[in-house]
Amino acid sequence: MNTSTPRFATIGMTVADMAASLAFYRRLGLDIPADADTAPHAEAPLPGGLRLMWDTHETARAIDPDWTPPEAGAPTGLAFACADPAEVDKVYAALTDAGYQGDKAPWDAFWGQRYAVVRDPDGHGVDLFAPQEQ
């Protein structure tokens, strides 16, 4: 009898424009091969053995013809740890200067972190954070 337990391994996202989405996540340091920009599916390894995967809307519809994309800003979000509060500000500025939508400019959160939120090309919220210096 097999008593193994499933192991959380992957975060999947559907995207309207693979190249635009991957360009955003490369700016956050993910190692994604350049040839993935034209693929219907892409993956990037994450720390701790997890993976982040992207599928185009067309791929999602090939799996389920009745699939429809969620509204932009749907409750899916990722968070990226920054080295320090200054890096939160720097990364937020670099992304918004590159044309990505800033959702919440960097601020000192009451829970003790420097925090900011930017939107990826599909409207997913991406949090940037670092512990506030004491």
Side-chain angles (χ1 to χ4, degrees), residues 78-80 82 84-93 96 101-119 125-133:
L78 302 175
F80 285 75
C82 296
D84 54 41
E87 187 181 18
V88 171
D89 294 13
K90 178 181 172 186
V91 172
Y92 181 87
T96 56
Q101 178 188 342
D103 200 38
K104 183 136 173 83
W107 84 97
D108 293 329
F110 68 86
W111 57 84
Q113 293 178 325
R114 183 74 173 163
Y115 221 87
V117 183
V118 67
R119 297 269 174 195
V126 177
D127 298 1
L128 308 169
F129 69 94
Q132 290 175 346
E133 298 174 342

Side-chain angles (χ1 to χ4, degrees), residues 14-52:
T14 56
V15 299
D17 182 331
M18 184 68 80
S21 292
L22 298 184
F24 176 87
Y25 287 98
R26 284 185 187 107
R27 287 178 172 272
L28 289 167
L30 296 185
D31 184 20
I32 307 165
D35 63 352
D37 287 359
T38 57
H41 173 87
E43 297 185 13
L46 300 174
L50 294 175
R51 293 177 301 155
L52 183 56

Side-chain angles (χ1 to χ4, degrees), residues 12 38 42 45 56-57 61-62 66 120-121 134:
T38 57
T56 63
H57 289 183
R61 284 190 196 100
D66 295 327
D120 78 1
Q134 300 295 326

